[in-house]
Amino acid sequence: LHALLAARAPARSLCCQCGVAIPPNAANMCVGCLRCQVDITEGIPKQVTVHFCKQCERYLQPPGTWIQCTLESRELLALCLKKIKASLSRVRLIDAGFIWTEPHSKRLKLKLTVQKEVINGAVLQQIFVVEYMVQSQMCEDCHRIEAKDFWKAVVQVRQKTLHKKTFYYLEQLILKHRLHQNTLRIKEIHDGLDFYYSSKQHAQKMVDFLQCTVPARSKSSQRLISHDIHSNVYNYKSTFSVEIVPICKDNVVCLSPKLAQSLGNMSQICVCIRVTSTIHLIDPSTLQIAEIDGNTYWRHPFNSLFHPKQLEEFIVMDITRVQEKRKGAGAGARSNKHTLAEAWVQKTSELNTDHQYFCNTHLGHILNPGDLVLGFDLANCNLNDEFANKMNPHHIPDVVLIKKSYDRSKRQRRRNWKLKELERDREGMDTDDERQYQDFLEDLEEDEAIRKNVNIYRNADVPVESDTDDDGPPRISLAEMLEDLHISQDATGGEGASMMT
């Protein structure tokens, strides 16, 4: 019986170092002695340095790539393992993970599990910790931003108008598509913006975006800075000049006879209802609409007849909706969002007189007797335009109504949304900019087509009211707003306290 039990018992052997009975293995040593004799982590550094830019919160991935990583993310784990990749080639990596450290400690700890075949084919597994010290180093992009003068290309965007509605719209498009990330500096001057870049490719990308977004034309030039005759290397500074058409929303324009005929025999006196990638015009006497792109405009240029400050306030004395007039030969499309009406209006500054004006308007869907409306008085003005001066006086309307007038102070109090702005250097700013910005915000409330291209954020400081208010001015519904998130990030890009403090 004893012999039978002994035969069934597992075989045991003595460790060649300490003599402890162990199951037989290839090394003929116990685990403790094997670890004392062989260290499979030998040659793997236990302390490594990683470089971090605290301006843009990116890590350096050698040789020259800076990447954005959040704390304890896969991207940061991969970056840390690449720092010791050569040393890990001699062992088999089984597991890797982060050990929590204080966000401000400038330390990252990585727990690694590795295996390696040791004496006589025995496989040893070991767990150890690698500590990464985070050192501050400013990346090249942030260095150029701080220098502010180190740029290779500049995009000069200009529009020769007194109102900046198109620029405010363009600013929101740039923010939405994140085209401002590669800029070294944005400088605002009287009639435009300057975007500075570290490479010509980034500047060309901005020019292409502008030409697809707004009707504009561009030209480029370059200036030689230095030349190495031995390596045949030239250093240039490139300048891109982008000119946006000088037409803004709510402008009254006078088209050339040839252009008006090519657009479907529409009237020469038109109203600009929107500026996107094209100029959207409407004939207030027939509701005929047309779109003019940048190339067409520069072949047949026209100007605005009035400045925004020349808008006058009228009161609607009587208004009558009329049926659509019969289309003439070759007439173009008509607007379905407007209603044609005939109105008698009187200036609010002439209420003590009996002087009234008759006009056709495209605002018949929102105007009622007693409403206030803003418009331009063509009957009592001197038009200094080459096309308007050649027109038959009977074809020029007395008044062109532009938009319904609401109480601006009430609109501002009830506005429960906001927009983001580009960080830029402001020089030569006008005191009229705030009024123009309020005009742009009102245009967003009144024009749904423009709102689709703009990121609108809910303003938590203003209480939420009902969106159904038929008597008040147009408002933006909560469904069209985005939540404005403010996430505090530490030096590793994650939530928490700043590591660099």
Side-chain angles (χ1 to χ4, degrees):
L1 181 61
H2 288 288
L4 182 62
L5 293 175
R8 292 183 177 180
R12 309 282 291 183
S13 63
L14 298 180
C15 175
C16 65
Q17 294 289 332
C18 61
V20 176
I22 59 172
N25 59 57
N28 200 24
M29 284 190 293
C30 65
V31 176
C33 294
L34 189 60
R35 287 178 176 173
C36 292
Q37 294 292 326
V38 180
D39 182 14
I40 64 175
T41 65
E42 185 179 3
I44 301 177
K46 305 303 187 294
Q47 283 192 341
V48 186
T49 300
V50 293
H51 297 282
F52 175 77
C53 177
K54 59 183 179 180
Q55 268 77 14
C56 61
E57 298 186 350
R58 294 187 298 175
Y59 287 92
L60 174 63
Q61 180 174 306
T65 305
W66 293 83
I67 60 175
Q68 190 90 24
C69 299
T70 56
L71 186 64
E72 298 187 1
S73 64
R74 286 187 176 185
E75 294 79 8
L76 185 58
L77 180 62
L79 185 144
C80 293
L81 291 177
K82 286 181 180 179
K83 299 285 289 186
I84 57 175
K85 182 179 180 180
S87 302
L88 290 176
S89 62
R90 295 189 294 268
V91 297
R92 181 184 179 188
L93 181 64
I94 301 300
D95 187 27
F98 284 101
I99 299 177
W100 185 84
T101 55
E102 289 286 347
H104 61 275
S105 63
K106 297 184 182 179
R107 295 291 188 275
L108 300 172
K109 291 185 178 181
L110 208 59
K111 181 180 179 182
L112 303 178
T113 303
V114 296
Q115 287 183 350
K116 186 179 180 180
E117 184 178 341
V118 291
I119 304 174
N120 296 329
V123 177
L124 185 64
Q125 179 172 308
Q126 193 168 343
I127 300 175
F128 66 103
V129 176
V130 179
E131 183 178 8
Y132 293 83
M133 294 175 290
V134 180
Q135 287 190 356
S136 299
Q137 177 179 330
M138 185 177 293
C139 65
E140 294 181 0
D141 295 336
C142 293
H143 189 274
R144 291 167 179 167
I145 293 174
E146 291 296 323
K148 292 186 177 180
D149 292 328
F150 189 89
W151 55 272
K152 291 292 184 66
V154 59
V155 179
Q156 299 175 339
V157 187
R158 300 290 184 268
Q159 187 184 31
K160 299 177 182 179
T161 57
L162 294 180
H163 207 291
K164 298 182 179 180
K165 286 183 178 181
T166 306
F167 271 108
Y168 291 134
Y169 173 66
L170 187 60
E171 176 185 15
Q172 297 303 316
L173 291 179
I174 293 174
L175 286 169
K176 182 173 183 177
H177 296 280
R178 306 176 70 86
L179 263 295
H180 63 291
Q181 287 186 326
N182 296 323
T183 56
L184 301 178
R185 179 190 180 194
I186 302 177
K187 181 181 178 182
E188 181 174 358
I189 60 176
H190 177 67
D191 56 350
L193 294 171
D194 290 345
F195 298 88
Y196 294 89
Y197 295 92
S198 58
S199 67
K200 184 178 179 180
Q201 290 77 12
H202 291 156
Q204 185 64 56
K205 184 178 179 181
M206 171 61 82
V207 173
D208 296 340
F209 173 78
L210 293 175
Q211 291 182 330
C212 296
T213 306
V214 291
R217 62 179 177 181
S218 65
K219 59 182 179 180
S220 62
S221 62
Q222 58 184 12
R223 179 165 57 95
L224 181 64
I225 302 301
S226 60
H227 173 215
D228 188 350
I229 60 175
H230 301 288
S231 59
N232 200 27
V233 174
Y234 294 83
N235 183 20
Y236 290 100
K237 278 193 175 183
S238 303
T239 301
F240 296 88
S241 177
V242 180
E243 183 181 359
I244 304 175
V245 296
I247 303 297
C248 290
K249 185 180 183 298
D250 297 336
N251 283 165
V252 177
V253 299
C254 183
L255 308 178
S256 64
K258 184 177 180 180
L259 179 59
Q261 183 180 8
S262 66
L263 297 176
N265 292 323
M266 65 188 306
S267 173
Q268 291 183 244
I269 303 294
C270 297
V271 178
C272 177
I273 56 175
R274 192 181 302 116
V275 176
T276 55
S277 57
T278 58
I279 305 173
H280 298 254
L281 299 178
I282 187 171
D283 183 356
S285 60
T286 61
L287 296 188
Q288 188 171 335
I289 56 176
E291 296 184 13
I292 300 176
D293 58 10
N295 294 331
T296 304
Y297 175 84
W298 298 117
R299 288 198 305 267
H300 307 280
F302 52 87
N303 298 313
S304 174
L305 298 181
F306 297 94
H307 301 309
K309 294 182 179 180
Q310 294 177 282
L311 274 172
E312 298 188 62
E313 191 176 58
F314 296 84
I315 184 171
V316 179
M317 309 303 295
D318 188 21
I319 187 169
T320 305
R321 279 74 175 176
V322 298
Q323 298 294 329
E324 290 188 3
K325 298 180 180 179
R326 178 178 296 180
K327 289 186 177 181
R334 292 182 178 178
S335 173
N336 297 324
K337 298 182 179 180
H338 300 83
T339 301
L340 186 62
E342 296 178 346
W344 285 94
V345 296
Q346 186 177 15
K347 291 183 181 180
T348 55
S349 59
E350 299 177 352
L351 290 179
N352 57 344
T353 65
D354 296 333
H355 194 184
Q356 296 185 7
Y357 302 89
F358 176 81
C359 64
N360 291 318
T361 180
H362 60 289
L363 304 177
H365 57 295
I366 58 174
L367 292 183
N368 295 296
D371 287 344
L372 296 178
V373 60
L374 298 177
F376 293 108
D377 180 9
L378 279 73
N380 302 311
C381 68
N382 294 323
L383 294 178
N384 186 17
D385 184 84
E386 59 173 330
F387 303 129
N389 293 336
K390 298 178 182 178
M391 285 183 62
N392 188 339
H394 298 289
H395 295 165
I396 300 179
D398 293 338
V399 172
V400 176
L401 302 182
I402 300 300
K403 60 181 179 178
K404 188 175 179 178
S405 178
Y406 299 97
D407 185 1
R408 169 165 288 186
S409 59
K410 183 178 179 180
R411 296 183 75 166
Q412 294 180 9
R413 290 195 305 268
R414 300 176 60 182
R415 187 171 291 139
N416 58 346
W417 55 274
K418 59 184 178 180
L419 302 175
K420 292 186 177 181
E421 297 183 9
L422 289 174
E423 295 182 3
R424 54 189 182 269
D425 300 334
R426 301 176 183 268
E427 296 182 8
M429 298 297 293
D430 296 332
T431 57
D432 196 39
D433 287 344
E434 180 61 29
R435 184 188 66 82
Q436 296 185 15
Y437 187 68
Q438 293 299 325
D439 289 342
F440 172 69
L441 298 182
E442 293 174 3
D443 291 342
L444 286 180
E445 294 174 335
E446 297 169 4
D447 195 340
E448 183 179 357
I450 293 293
R451 291 202 300 269
K452 294 179 180 179
N453 301 327
V454 176
N455 284 342
I456 299 173
Y457 299 91
R458 189 172 70 86
N459 189 357
D461 298 334
V462 180
V464 178
E465 299 181 11
S466 174
D467 293 335
T468 58
D469 187 1
D470 297 335
D471 298 332
R475 302 181 64 191
I476 299 178
S477 63
L478 290 174
E480 301 178 78
M481 301 181 192
L482 303 174
E483 289 289 343
D484 189 14
L485 299 180
H486 295 282
I487 301 177
S488 59
Q489 296 186 346
D490 60 17
T492 57
E495 298 184 17
S498 175
M499 175 180 283
M500 311 312 295
T501 55

